Amino acid sequence: MTDDKKRLIKKDDEKELKNIHSSIKNSVYRDYFHISPLTGLLNDPNGLFFKENKFHIFYQWYPFKGLHGLKHWYEVESFDLINFKNLGLFLKPDKIYKNRGAYSGSAFVENDEVYIVYSGNQKDENENRIPNTVLGKYENGKIIDEKVIITPNENYTDNQRDPRIYKKNGFYYLSLGARDKFDCGCILIYRSKNIEKDWAFFGQLEVKGFKNSAYMWECPDILNVCGKDVLLFSPQGMKSKGEFFNNIYQNGYIVGKLDIENKIFYSESDFIELDRGFDFYAAQSFDNTKNSYLIGWVGLPDTIYPNDKEFSGNLSLVRELKIKNNKLLINPVENISDLRVEKIEFNSLIKNIEPLEIYVENIENSFKIKIYSQEKNGGFIISFDKNKKEFKIDRSKLENEISKEFGHERKISKLDLKSMRIFVDKSTIEIFIDKGEYALTSKVFPKNKEKDLYIEGLDEKNTQIYKLKKSYLDNFSLNM
């Protein structure tokens, strides 16, 4: 009998998966406007690109259960970054060079070609890991012409993954997240004149001005935002520091200047967390877009969530990036307001809430918002203390606990809060503060009696509440 975690999808599984999808589609935790797994588990966003007026989004997918099993890729498309349609299976780990999973990767668009590069996770008969870097081409929802372009670098551990391709002055460059033999996270750089072959190790990226304390760097991504280079990565092993770095693993960025030809990134900022909430990881930017967009996985590795027996994981709202004072401004896309279908009359207590947006401006006082409360009690608590200039989120009063060993509270100090947008979905809450200065993303799993909204310290003069429509189609499509 096949190990549950090693099960490879087959054409004969379509009926079973359709039944699973039918059973979870109406789950109380199925989000309205966040991409969710067709079935099973979703984690890292992968291969994001724009071409012919369509945004293509892929995610790591284990089809059969809400656990980290044999990783496939699934594809979703969008015309506007707020409405999403399921397309189907894109990658499956059916070759020896990826016999233990088609791991994370990215897209590179050049002229009429879209290249997909990813990590093929291979294990030999003795369970030794062989990390391969695989390149293929995107064609009508399928990958063609796959080949291994980079084999393991023996001077590093077997943790070498999450490739991304760049081009400068006639050379293609490829970055890989890695762990060296001294248990330090790093980024490896490869180079070639031909994207399809002849890749050679070019060296390790030096990040000047950054003191590394992580043992592994995952999901490296280098993008240019408003004329500044931004190095994104997900370090594992950073120690918490007061109100910072309190999740099991981190996801953040450094603003600076990339000199790829000399393998140097000159830091002009500290390492800054992309998101200050409880659940955000493995963010990736889109290739071939005019503006800078990013999506993250609303979840974390090595973390158990209350709905994992049904399905697990979802993707964040698409975020548009800008830069101010060497810090990213992170906002939902401008047309997110198109999800509004009805303005809800303000009341301090609103019963039986559906997915909604809470928009607060001209904040002058302390306040407390309880989402998925039991009337005035419990809930996911968002609060601001005007005198202390302290913003907090607290999910300790929800009955379904998550990662309690990493704390129930996150806070931002020294904050002169002026405005805030809160997007409340069935099991996801995203908060955007002061027009992009901070984002906070968290999973919640309210029980049946946790269904209200209670607001204290705000009123109808500065608070607008909108009911939001369902924009993730959640159609069943395998396209095998």
Side-chain angles (χ1 to χ4, degrees), residues 6 36 56 72 75 78 99 123 134 198 209 223 234 408 478:
K6 297 178 184 177
S36 300
H56 297 259
H72 302 59
E75 183 180 10
S78 176
N99 65 357
K123 287 196 176 180
V134 185
D198 301 330
L223 62 155
S234 296
H408 290 302
L478 265 187

Side-chain angles (χ1 to χ4, degrees), residues 21-216:
H21 178 259
S22 295
S23 71
I24 65 176
K25 188 174 180 179
N26 296 316
S27 165
V28 294
Y29 300 131
R30 200 71 169 170
D31 280 343
Y32 272 35
F33 49 89
H34 290 89
I35 295 170
S36 300
L38 182 76
T39 57
L41 176 135
L42 167 162
N43 57 298
D44 302 9
N46 290 158
L48 313 177
F49 72 91
F50 177 75
K51 196 170 189 292
E52 297 173 350
N53 297 315
K54 291 181 185 178
F55 295 92
H56 297 259
I57 299 165
F58 304 84
Y59 58 76
Q60 291 274 281
W61 181 43
Y62 183 61
F64 300 102
K65 289 189 176 182
L67 52 77
H68 289 276
L70 193 63
K71 296 297 171 67
H72 302 59
W73 280 32
Y74 190 88
E75 183 180 10
V76 176
E77 74 171 9
S78 176
F79 291 93
D80 58 8
L81 295 177
I82 60 169
N83 292 281
F84 306 100
K85 179 183 178 181
N86 291 328
L87 290 188
L89 173 70
F90 178 69
L91 271 178
K92 61 180 181 177
D94 56 352
K95 301 288 192 298
I96 186 66
Y97 55 78
K98 52 179 172 178
N99 65 357
R100 290 298 177 83
Y103 277 15
S104 284
S106 56
F108 180 79
V109 181
E110 186 172 43
N111 301 321
D112 291 330
E113 298 285 6
V114 179
Y115 295 93
I116 301 292
V117 61
Y118 68 94
S119 292
N121 183 39
Q122 179 183 350
K123 287 196 176 180
D124 65 17
E125 62 275 9
N126 297 314
E127 292 295 298
N128 297 307
R129 186 198 308 274
I130 304 167
N132 300 300
T133 301
V134 185
L135 182 77
K137 294 179 183 177
Y138 179 91
E139 186 176 276
N140 299 321
K142 301 297 179 186
I143 191 165
I144 62 170
D145 301 335
E146 281 188 85
K147 66 190 81 173
V148 174
I149 57 169
I150 297 172
T151 54
N153 189 323
E154 295 182 356
N155 294 315
Y156 294 81
T157 68
D158 60 8
N159 288 289
Q160 304 167 38
R161 54 182 176 268
D162 311 334
R164 182 99 201 202
I165 292 175
Y166 320 87
K167 189 177 184 181
K168 186 170 184 180
N169 295 336
F171 279 99
Y172 297 94
Y173 296 88
L174 183 148
S175 62
L176 283 175
R179 178 177 185 170
D180 70 17
K181 292 187 176 180
F182 300 97
D183 288 331
C184 288
C186 57
I187 296 173
L188 311 184
I189 304 294
Y190 289 79
R191 189 170 79 161
S192 177
K193 279 277 191 179
N194 186 331
I195 194 171
E196 297 192 34
K197 61 181 181 179
D198 301 330
W199 287 92
F201 182 57
F202 189 51
Q204 183 175 314
L205 183 69
E206 179 184 1
V207 184
K208 282 189 175 292
F210 174 66
K211 187 176 180 181
N212 179 38
S213 62
Y215 60 76
M216 175 68 193

Side-chain angles (χ1 to χ4, degrees), residues 297-312:
W297 166 31
V298 185
L300 285 165
D302 304 321
T303 302
I304 296 172
Y305 293 95
N307 70 323
D308 284 353
K309 289 183 178 180
E310 287 189 300
F311 63 93
S312 183

Side-chain angles (χ1 to χ4, degrees), residues 317-335:
L317 294 173
V318 180
R319 301 169 179 209
E320 184 171 353
L321 307 178
K322 294 182 180 178
I323 280 190
K324 177 183 175 183
N325 299 327
N326 279 344
K327 184 174 182 288
L328 286 178
L329 296 179
I330 301 171
N331 282 296
V333 292
E334 190 172 340
N335 60 327

Side-chain angles (χ1 to χ4, degrees), residues 340 343-344 346 357-361 459-466:
R340 297 172 178 173
K343 188 172 183 179
I344 299 172
F346 181 89
E357 176 191 353
I358 306 168
Y359 178 48
V360 188
E361 56 187 344
D459 58 34
E460 67 277 2
K461 294 177 184 178
N462 61 358
T463 306
Q464 301 172 60
I465 305 171
Y466 299 92

Side-chain angles (χ1 to χ4, degrees), residues 205-413:
L205 183 69
E206 179 184 1
V207 184
K208 282 189 175 292
F210 174 66
K211 187 176 180 181
N212 179 38
S213 62
Y215 60 76
M216 175 68 193
W217 290 9
E218 290 197 309
C219 308
D221 188 356
I222 303 169
L223 62 155
N224 190 276
V225 182
C226 304
K228 289 276 191 177
D229 293 323
V230 179
L231 173 63
L232 301 177
F233 58 105
S234 296
Q236 297 184 334
M238 291 183 73
K239 293 182 179 179
S240 62
K241 187 178 179 181
E243 66 187 67
F244 305 100
F245 318 139
N246 285 304
N247 295 336
I248 184 172
Y249 303 125
Q250 316 312 320
N251 193 186
Y253 67 93
I254 302 171
V255 176
K257 180 67 177 176
L258 174 67
D259 181 356
I260 191 72
E261 293 163 313
N262 289 299
K263 307 177 290 292
I264 300 173
F265 187 91
Y266 295 94
S267 301
E268 297 176 9
S269 78
D270 294 331
F271 175 81
I272 302 170
E273 290 173 282
L274 273 167
D275 193 282
R276 297 286 293 274
F278 293 99
D279 304 280
F280 189 87
Y281 194 72
Q284 185 178 117
S285 66
F286 280 82
D287 193 65
N288 199 41
T289 55
K290 181 180 178 182
N291 297 329
S292 299
Y293 299 113
L294 172 148
I295 303 179
W297 166 31
V298 185
L300 285 165
D302 304 321
T303 302
I304 296 172
Y305 293 95
N307 70 323
D308 284 353
K309 289 183 178 180
E310 287 189 300
F311 63 93
S312 183
N314 59 275
L315 298 183
S316 72
L317 294 173
V318 180
R319 301 169 179 209
E320 184 171 353
L321 307 178
K322 294 182 180 178
I323 280 190
K324 177 183 175 183
N325 299 327
N326 279 344
K327 184 174 182 288
L328 286 178
L329 296 179
I330 301 171
N331 282 296
V333 292
E334 190 172 340
N335 60 327
I336 194 75
S337 298
D338 291 347
L339 295 183
R340 297 172 178 173
V341 291
E342 177 187 344
K343 188 172 183 179
I344 299 172
E345 183 179 356
F346 181 89
N347 198 309
S348 61
L349 178 63
I350 299 174
K351 303 277 287 182
N352 302 318
I353 63 171
E354 291 293 321
L356 50 81
E357 176 191 353
I358 306 168
Y359 178 48
V360 188
E361 56 187 344
N362 301 320
I363 297 170
E364 296 179 349
N365 303 306
S366 300
F367 65 79
K368 189 173 286 186
I369 300 172
K370 298 180 179 181
I371 300 169
Y372 291 125
S373 63
Q374 298 178 52
E375 295 195 339
K376 297 181 180 182
N377 301 312
F380 181 92
I381 302 173
I382 302 168
S383 64
F384 177 61
D385 187 314
K386 179 73 173 178
N387 295 325
K388 292 182 179 179
K389 293 189 174 183
E390 187 174 79
F391 181 90
K392 286 184 183 180
I393 57 174
D394 179 355
R395 62 181 178 187
S396 65
K397 303 300 187 291
L398 289 168
E399 292 192 11
N400 272 324
E401 291 187 315
I402 309 166
S403 300
K404 60 182 178 181
E405 65 271 31
F406 293 96
H408 290 302
E409 189 177 275
R410 298 288 181 266
K411 70 177 181 178
I412 300 172
S413 300

